Amino acid sequence: MRATFNRFPKALTAVLGLLAALALTLSVTGCGTTADATTTVPGPTQASALKVFNAYVTAQRVAVANHDALLAASLTSSSQYSLVSTQWSIGQAPAAPSYGKPTLYVPKLTTYPQWFMAVAPEHQRGRAAGTYLMVFDKPDAAASWTLDGSVLLSQGSTTLPVAVKNGYATALRTTDTNLLLRPDEVGAIHASVVDEGPSSPAAKVVAAGPLTTGLYSTYAAKAKQARAHGYYYSWELEGTSYPFFALATNDGGAVVMYTMSLNTAASRVKPSKEPIPVPGNLKSVVRATQAPIVRVLDIDSTLQYVAVDPPPAKNGGTAGKLQVIGNSGFPTYVGGK
């Protein structure tokens, strides 16, 4: 889906001045030439990471207050950009965020990309709305800091077991083999359980729960119900090209943030010229140029996840299982033929 934006300009000098200041804060050390992966550069600290977080929150409030979709999108990147731009393009812009004091997990990085995680409680209209894990990144020296992902943590998983020493966390390579699963394999193993259920071989290393076997049960039930109404229903959770982020935990495991794509399809068992009904809450996502959908309804969702990847078994013991502890996302494409 190609998102479009509507901008509502404001001729307020004070607002323009605030945005200029915010851009400088979000850039932090954005001046100078682009550094490559072998150039040593100063990384974020607890203090500078807090400035980035606060600048993002303030700028997002300005975007919401001024109905400024372009500003809201410019504060994001990767999968978060896809989600935010879709929300604004379909007229479902989020309310201005209100966060409590964040807990910052800042890896000591000396090359680009630079990034860090923040965990903060969110409030909406004076009520607790959950705790979010947010990832901010800066791909090179010329770029600004942007929000790469924002995942709602499950109840009981709002305190991350990230190892912190002298104020810094430890970033792990996505190909790190000193874990039960390499970080870049977490999404594929997770998807196997969602697609195939408890019978999947992957279920041996993935803990059962609402975001794993629970999703399989939900989709399997939808498939059964759909068949009773004359439809085939299918689903597939698969990986994306968006980046993974992994930090070491106290026990030698990792906290991994990653993005997946979910495709669901409802196709008619018998041909018909009657349009397939689109769920009411998804009608705004359908493109204006979409022809009537009479054969198959496709829905693609961009989903962000956080999982705890345990260390491998030691001394002949039994290894733990991958725990998926949070997710966020929604449909970014609805169409068909």
Side-chain angles (χ1 to χ4, degrees):
M1 175 179 180
R2 185 177 298 277
T4 57
F5 302 99
N6 293 310
R7 185 179 177 90
F8 301 85
K10 295 289 183 179
L12 297 176
T13 303
V15 170
L16 294 177
L18 174 60
L19 296 184
L22 291 172
L24 287 174
T25 304
L26 285 169
S27 296
V28 186
T29 57
C31 300
T33 58
T34 300
D36 60 31
T38 61
T39 303
T40 299
V41 295
T45 63
Q46 285 278 333
S48 64
L50 182 59
K51 289 181 179 179
V52 170
F53 176 87
N54 288 336
Y56 164 78
V57 173
T58 302
Q60 176 66 0
R61 288 174 179 169
V62 172
V64 172
N66 290 281
H67 308 287
D68 195 332
L70 289 177
L71 174 59
S74 73
L75 303 174
T76 65
S77 59
S78 298
S79 58
Q80 192 67 21
Y81 177 88
S82 175
L83 293 169
V84 168
S85 59
T86 299
Q87 277 185 301
W88 283 81
S89 70
I90 64 177
Q92 294 184 11
S98 177
Y99 294 101
K101 182 179 179 180
T103 299
L104 302 173
Y105 299 104
V106 184
K108 196 169 188 178
L109 301 171
T110 58
T111 59
Y112 287 107
Q114 307 279 358
W115 59 276
F116 66 89
M117 293 183 181
V119 174
E122 183 181 354
H123 302 276
Q124 293 180 1
R125 297 178 178 86
R127 295 183 178 182
T131 298
Y132 283 80
L133 181 146
M134 308 162 74
V135 177
F136 294 86
D137 77 337
K138 178 180 169 69
D140 55 55
S144 298
W145 283 96
T146 53
L147 179 67
D148 191 284
S150 180
V151 183
L152 176 64
L153 296 174
S154 303
Q155 290 186 355
S157 300
T158 56
T159 300
L160 299 182
V162 175
V164 177
K165 183 177 181 181
N166 298 325
Y168 288 98
T170 300
L172 300 177
R173 300 186 308 276
T174 58
T175 56
D176 196 310
T177 57
N178 296 313
L179 301 161
L180 177 67
L181 303 168
R182 284 177 23 169
D184 59 2
E185 296 175 343
V186 165
I189 299 299
H190 178 194
S192 294
V193 175
V194 172
D195 294 343
E196 302 171 22
S199 64
S200 168
K204 295 179 180 179
V205 295
V206 177
L211 301 178
T212 54
T213 52
L215 287 179
Y216 169 81
S217 297
T218 296
Y219 298 134
K222 287 184 177 181
K224 183 177 181 180
Q225 184 180 31
R227 189 61 183 268
H229 290 85
Y231 292 91
Y232 289 115
Y233 181 87
S234 64
W235 70 94
E236 183 177 15
L237 186 66
E238 56 188 1
T240 68
S241 60
Y242 295 123
F244 290 70
F245 299 91
L247 292 177
T249 59
N250 293 307
D251 64 355
V255 168
V256 184
M257 183 272 180
Y258 54 103
T259 301
M260 303 292 285
S261 176
L262 174 69
N263 172 260
T264 63
S267 56
R268 279 202 167 102
V269 175
K270 296 181 179 181
S272 173
K273 294 183 179 180
E274 290 295 320
I276 297 176
V278 176
N281 62 326
L282 299 181
K283 289 182 178 179
S284 60
V285 187
V286 180
R287 292 172 296 184
T289 56
Q290 172 67 55
I293 302 170
V294 296
R295 292 173 54 193
V296 56
L297 172 65
D298 280 313
I299 301 174
D300 292 333
S301 300
T302 299
L303 304 176
Q304 300 170 334
Y305 289 98
V306 175
V308 176
D309 186 4
K314 297 180 180 179
N315 302 321
T318 302
K321 291 187 175 185
L322 182 77
Q323 302 274 348
V324 183
I325 62 170
N327 79 310
S328 292
F330 53 83
T332 48
Y333 169 82
V334 177
K337 55 187 178 179

